[in-house]
Amino acid sequence: MKIVKLILIGLLVCTSFAKAEDWQKVLNLKGFWKFSIGDNPEWKNPYFKDTDWEDIKVPSFWEDEGFNGYDGYAWYRKSFSISEKYVNHTLYLNLGYIDDVDEVYINGKLVGCSGSFPPFYRTSYYSERSYPIPASFLKSGNNTIAVRVYDAELGGGINNGDIGFYLNNTVPLKAGLEGYWKFVTGDNNQYKDINFDDSKWKSILVPGLWESQGYSGYDGFAWYRKKFKISGELIKQKLVLILGKIDDIDQVYINGKLVGSTGNFSEDPINVGDSYSKLRGYFLPQNLLNENGENVIAIRVYDNSYTGGIYQGPIGFTTQEGYTKFLRNKPKESFWERLFN
């Protein structure tokens, strides 16, 4: 069962970008990028001058672009502009397949990572990279992507895929929650409280497996927290909180009140079943959200083996009307989903 779970999560993550009808391409990033072998944290910064770097074709293996036999660290950089009409939307950056490990920055802010860098090296060669970009990370005018890559052997680099920015048309979010959340391992019922002090917690990207963000090998309980504000116009509507997919089970609190859960925490030992493959959509009661101040969402997660965490979007709020329309138009499960569910 553990191996089946690991295979299915890989399929869910790696094939989540495969349904073309769900995605609208808003910017093509295929072509020539700036490239340098080596490793320097300053290279992620948008103001760094890369004019003397090499030009390299993306996608392609760097060993096919004049760097034959090179294994190790390298960086890619590219400047781009997003149309004004997309600046306030959560977009997804698709980087296709990268050999072997990557960290991706937009305007100097980490937006995604796959695999593990040395000394705890773990390849993600077979994983398609699709990273949500919070709307607040993008700006009108010039923006910068910086991609740190480590290759252990063979080709190396951003080597295959339809590279670009995409808009997800599956669930029409009215307010996105992707980005940095507060995170801690362990379990404490006070973590759900609206006034709990989480200032000493670490930050983690959502969505994203926690194994790829410094918690490799961790199984058990963990909590996520995020503060947010919501418009008065939106708060008057009937809302649904979308949390994508979570490995394995979860309980979700807003302003200290339980709004939804998937899986059974009361069993001993906890039986997670196939909860990791279920899309989370939780209907919110009226008068729960604060119109003129901060709100707090707290998510209790239990992972029993292998990967863990809020690993796939979309993440945010939609209307009940929009969510109902999505469910009615949702395609039937694929062969692989039926096989493993």
Side-chain angles (χ1 to χ4, degrees):
M1 181 62 189
K2 291 181 179 180
I3 294 176
V4 169
K5 172 190 165 185
L6 185 61
I7 293 172
L8 180 54
I9 289 176
L11 287 168
L12 290 171
V13 173
C14 299
T15 64
S16 63
F17 205 80
K19 298 176 182 178
E21 68 273 14
D22 293 341
W23 300 91
Q24 175 189 349
K25 192 172 188 178
V26 301
L27 183 65
N28 181 21
L29 292 175
K30 287 184 175 181
F32 287 98
W33 292 46
K34 290 296 185 178
F35 178 80
S36 177
I37 60 174
D39 191 29
N40 186 332
E42 289 295 313
W43 294 349
K44 71 177 182 292
N45 296 321
Y47 54 77
F48 177 78
K49 302 298 183 183
D50 55 22
T51 53
D52 61 344
W53 283 22
E54 302 275 353
D55 291 322
I56 194 169
K57 185 180 177 182
V58 172
S60 64
F61 287 108
W62 68 45
E63 293 205 12
D64 294 335
E65 296 292 316
F67 296 87
N68 187 39
Y70 179 71
D71 298 322
Y73 288 92
W75 284 71
Y76 295 77
R77 287 173 57 88
K78 190 172 184 66
S79 297
F80 66 94
S81 295
I82 287 288
S83 172
E84 190 72 31
K85 65 181 178 180
Y86 297 120
V87 167
N88 294 320
H89 290 76
T90 296
L91 299 179
Y92 282 73
L93 172 61
N94 182 40
L95 288 174
Y97 295 88
I98 298 177
D99 182 15
D100 287 283
V101 185
D102 65 281
E103 287 177 345
V104 181
Y105 299 85
I106 298 289
N107 296 327
K109 297 179 179 179
L110 182 68
V111 297
C113 51
S114 297
S116 297
F117 290 93
F120 304 106
Y121 167 73
R122 179 174 58 82
T123 184
S124 282
Y125 179 87
Y126 295 103
S127 297
E128 185 177 13
R129 274 63 164 185
S130 177
Y131 298 130
I133 313 300
S136 61
F137 285 19
L138 295 171
K139 58 184 179 180
S140 58
N142 192 57
N143 297 266
T144 302
I145 304 172
V147 184
R148 182 191 187 208
V149 175
Y150 176 79
D151 172 52
E153 59 181 346
L154 302 178
I158 307 171
N159 61 80
N160 192 18
D162 199 358
I163 314 301
F165 280 100
Y166 292 78
L167 186 65
N168 189 321
N169 294 318
T170 53
V171 181
L173 293 183
K174 298 298 184 180
L177 292 175
E178 293 98 342
Y180 293 111
W181 289 50
K182 291 292 188 177
F183 178 80
V184 71
T185 57
D187 193 30
N188 187 327
N189 191 52
Q190 294 181 359
Y191 293 165
K192 73 178 188 302
D193 297 340
I194 188 170
N195 294 320
F196 179 82
D197 181 8
D198 58 21
S199 59
K200 295 183 179 180
W201 288 18
K202 297 292 182 65
S203 293
I204 196 169
L205 278 167
V206 172
L209 294 167
W210 66 47
E211 278 78 7
S212 298
Q213 303 185 67
Y215 300 89
S216 180
Y218 179 74
D219 299 321
F221 286 97
W223 282 75
Y224 296 78
R225 283 174 58 93
K226 187 176 182 66
K227 296 177 181 178
F228 66 94
K229 293 183 179 181
I230 197 163
S231 69
E233 179 181 353
L234 189 57
I235 209 172
K236 295 174 184 177
Q237 302 185 54
K238 295 180 179 180
L239 296 179
V240 179
L241 173 63
I242 306 296
L243 290 175
K245 294 179 180 179
I246 299 176
D247 184 14
D248 283 290
I249 63 176
D250 61 280
Q251 292 175 328
V252 180
Y253 301 85
I254 292 183
N255 296 333
K257 297 181 179 179
L258 182 67
V259 298
S261 63
T262 299
N264 189 349
F265 283 86
S266 64
E267 296 180 342
D268 187 16
I270 295 176
N271 180 16
V272 299
D274 61 355
S275 297
Y276 55 85
S277 65
K278 306 300 183 184
L279 178 71
R280 271 61 169 183
Y282 298 135
F283 292 79
L284 302 186
Q286 294 290 315
N287 303 316
L288 174 66
L289 299 173
N290 299 318
E291 179 178 350
N292 298 316
E294 281 190 334
N295 298 272
V296 177
I297 179 171
I299 304 177
R300 183 191 188 205
V301 174
Y302 176 79
D303 170 54
N304 78 332
S305 62
Y306 291 102
T307 54
I310 308 171
Y311 69 91
Q312 183 177 311
I315 312 291
F317 295 102
T318 190
T319 62
Q320 289 192 19
E321 180 182 4
Y323 188 59
T324 300
K325 183 178 179 180
F326 159 73
L327 292 177
R328 287 176 176 172
N329 295 331
K330 185 179 179 182
K332 293 182 179 180
E333 289 183 331
S334 68
F335 166 77
W336 287 105
E337 290 171 328
R338 292 196 307 270
L339 178 63
F340 288 108
N341 283 348

